[in-house]
Amino acid sequence: MLEGNLQSISVSGLLQLLANESGYGYLITIKSGTNTAQIYIIKGVLIDARFGILEGVDALAEIITWSEGNFKVEAIVSSVHKNFIGSIKCNLTDINTFQSQCLFLNRINVGLGQEIVPSLNFGQEVWQEALYIQPLKKIDFAVLGWITDGRTMRQAISEMKIDLKEAIGILYRLI
């Protein structure tokens, strides 16, 4: 069992750390004030998250921004995680940037639940120059075309069938 404080490690950093232990299954319980959440990682794959009545990506969108609270990590025995069915199924072992992208988005206070709006610089020379530094992918342009007032990346995950790490990457590149 591992215990700690979110002031020592971010939620995304904890997820990345445990995902790198890909032969095991873990239940992470996080308590922040009166809130309690659970995240399941099995064999390097983020399987599910639960917070109150929220499940899956909706729960994770809330949890991933927490910066205060305590966590406890417990091993899940292999007989339990063989039959575990979750709603996220995001492999974190093949990506080194998930944590750094989450930290950047947290630092500038941008989350999956916030409205996406086009930049005032969209299409301008400054925007085009930024494309050389951080090129956009085809999916990024699909999200740009999908944006209308009031839409969030959480909705894009659901409506466009984008997985969590791709959604974080898109948000990171679009910012």
Side-chain angles (χ1 to χ4, degrees):
M1 179 168 48
L2 174 67
E3 294 184 38
N5 190 292
L6 293 180
Q7 292 175 340
S8 301
I9 186 169
S10 66
V11 173
S12 59
L14 184 60
L15 296 178
Q16 189 74 61
L17 173 74
L18 295 172
N20 288 329
E21 296 292 322
S22 59
Y24 303 97
Y26 299 102
L27 165 61
I28 306 164
T29 303
I30 303 173
K31 294 186 179 189
S32 180
T34 60
N35 298 316
T36 300
Q38 295 86 31
I39 302 173
Y40 298 86
I41 294 180
I42 298 175
K43 293 187 177 180
V45 178
L46 175 59
I47 296 292
D48 204 2
R50 297 170 188 203
F51 169 53
I53 62 170
L54 300 176
E55 293 183 9
V57 172
D58 291 331
L60 193 61
E62 298 296 324
I63 302 165
I64 206 158
T65 61
W66 291 2
S67 59
E68 294 183 10
N70 297 308
F71 64 86
K72 180 171 73 170
V73 179
E74 299 175 85
I76 300 174
V77 293
S78 62
S79 61
V80 172
H81 65 71
K82 283 181 182 176
N83 299 322
F84 193 91
I85 298 173
S87 61
I88 299 178
K89 294 187 176 71
C90 178
N91 187 344
L92 297 176
T93 60
D94 61 352
I95 183 167
N96 292 327
T97 58
F98 177 77
Q99 177 189 7
S100 61
Q101 289 174 347
C102 285
L103 288 174
F104 171 78
L105 293 172
N106 283 342
R107 194 169 41 250
I108 62 169
N109 204 23
V110 172
L112 296 172
Q114 289 179 300
E115 293 180 12
I116 303 171
V117 294
S119 166
L120 297 175
N121 294 327
F122 182 73
Q124 302 294 322
E125 189 175 326
V126 170
W127 185 81
Q128 292 174 7
E129 289 174 8
L131 289 179
Y132 290 110
I133 299 168
Q134 182 64 55
L136 296 181
K137 297 180 179 180
K138 184 177 180 180
I139 188 69
D140 301 338
F141 287 104
V143 170
L144 281 172
W146 172 86
I147 292 173
T148 60
D149 291 339
R151 288 198 168 169
T152 67
M153 188 55 78
R154 185 187 300 178
Q155 291 169 311
I157 290 170
S158 175
E159 292 178 25
M160 299 178 77
K161 307 293 185 230
I162 301 170
D163 75 9
L164 176 69
K165 71 180 179 189
E166 187 69 33
I168 294 291
I170 292 167
L171 201 52
Y172 176 80
R173 288 187 298 274
L174 292 179
I175 296 298

